[in-house]
Amino acid sequence: MSELDDPHAELAAIAAGVRQHLLEEHDLGGAGLPAVAVPAPPRAQAAPARPQASLAAVTPAGPAAIAPAAASDKVARLQLLAEQAASCDACALHEKRKQAVFARGDPSSPLVFVGEGPGRDEDRLGEPFVGKAGQLLDRMIAAMGFERDAVYICNVVKCRPPDNRTPRPEEALACARFLVPQVQIVAPRVIVALGRCAAENLGVAEAAGPWRGRWGSFQGIDVMPTFHPAYLLRSPQYKRTVWEDLQKVMARFGFGPTPGGAA
Ligand code: URA
C-alpha cells in the first residue's frame, strides 16, 4: 500500500505539517492555534489616507495605466525590467555592485514583500533575502501559511548600498523606475513593507513617529508596514509585534485570528 493510500500515514503527514506550522509560529512569538475559530473580517476596509512619499509622488501612472496582465506577459515584462536594472547606472550604487538584485518568487502572487536593498549575500547570489534576514523572512512566510516561492519579494533599491547602509532618498528615487512598474505588473492584493525605509518609500510612514502595524496604500494596493527581519535578528523581543502585523495580513486573505482587530 502506498503512503497515499494509507490513512494512518496520511494523518501522520498532516500532523507533522501542523506541528511544523505551529513551531514556526511559535518561533515568531505566536501563541498557537486559537481555541475558537475567529471569522475573517470583511475584505473591504478602507485604508487610511496617508501623505504620499517620494516614490508614489514621482510615479507617472497609477495602476489603471497598466492593464491586468496574463502570467506569461507579466514574466516577459518583469524580465525586461530586470534586464534594464542589470545595466542601470542611474545612481552611484551601480559602481560597487556585483550584480543588480531584482526579485524572487511568483510574479502572480497576491502577496508581495518589499525590503530595503540587497546585502552582501544577495549581491553575490543575485537573489533578494537569501542571507540570515532572508532565512527569518522565509520562516515568517511559512508561519503565515505560504510556500516560500508562492510570494514575490523585492527591494526598494536593486543594487547593494555600501556597508549595507540604508539607501539614500536620491537612490530610492532613481530606483523607482524599477520598483513602481514592478509592483504595478505583479499587482498583488497586499504588500508587506519590511522596515521603515520600505514603508517611507511606499508612502505609508511619516519620517518621524510610529509607523508600523497600520494599513496604508500604495497606488491602490493595501500595504502593511512592519519591522525588517534584520532588525528582528538584533531585537527578537519584537517578533511578537511583527507576528501581530502579519496576522492582519493573513486576515485579509481570510485565515488566521485578528488580535487587537485589523487595521
Ligand atoms: N535586506 C533587505 O532589505 N533586502 C535583502 O534583499 C536582504 C536583506
Side-chain angles (χ1 to χ4, degrees), residues 148-203:
R148 178 185 188 268
D149 294 325
V151 302
Y152 187 85
I153 302 177
C154 59
N155 284 305
V156 169
V157 294
K158 311 306 184 206
C159 299
R160 182 190 180 202
D163 304 320
N164 298 341
R165 65 161 168 74
T166 303
R168 298 190 172 123
E170 67 272 18
E171 294 160 352
L173 205 55
C175 227
R177 75 194 64 201
F178 301 117
L179 179 64
V180 173
Q182 187 173 29
V183 166
Q184 287 178 336
I185 292 167
V186 176
R189 186 163 160 193
V190 171
I191 297 172
V192 176
L194 296 168
R196 184 187 265 282
C197 170
E200 281 181 6
N201 280 292
L202 292 172

Side-chain angles (χ1 to χ4, degrees), residues 75-201:
V75 171
R77 285 152 73 185
L78 290 167
Q79 177 63 30
L80 190 62
L81 270 182
E83 283 164 15
Q84 289 165 353
S87 58
C88 176
D89 59 3
C91 82
L93 292 185
H94 81 277
E95 287 164 11
K96 297 210 168 135
R97 73 173 173 229
K98 283 199 168 53
Q99 57 195 314
V101 177
F102 192 70
R104 70 165 158 102
D106 179 0
S108 295
S109 179
L111 180 57
V112 164
F113 290 82
V114 178
E116 189 173 294
R120 183 197 303 273
D121 293 329
E122 291 76 19
D123 183 53
R124 191 166 53 84
L125 297 170
E127 251 196 38
F129 284 99
V130 288
K132 282 213 163 64
Q135 286 156 23
L136 176 56
L137 178 60
D138 286 345
R139 295 205 294 280
M140 289 156 61
I141 290 165
M144 292 173 80
F146 289 93
E147 297 283 329
R148 178 185 188 268
D149 294 325
V151 302
Y152 187 85
I153 302 177
C154 59
N155 284 305
V156 169
V157 294
K158 311 306 184 206
C159 299
R160 182 190 180 202
D163 304 320
N164 298 341
R165 65 161 168 74
T166 303
R168 298 190 172 123
E170 67 272 18
E171 294 160 352
L173 205 55
C175 227
R177 75 194 64 201
F178 301 117
L179 179 64
V180 173
Q182 187 173 29
V183 166
Q184 287 178 336
I185 292 167
V186 176
R189 186 163 160 193
V190 171
I191 297 172
V192 176
L194 296 168
R196 184 187 265 282
C197 170
E200 281 181 6
N201 280 292

Side-chain angles (χ1 to χ4, degrees), residues 28 136 140 227-240 242:
L28 283 168
L136 176 56
M140 289 156 61
F227 291 134
H228 193 286
Y231 177 69
L232 290 186
L233 290 174
R234 298 191 299 274
S235 309
Q237 69 272 26
Y238 292 114
K239 282 184 177 178
R240 171 100 218 165
V242 168

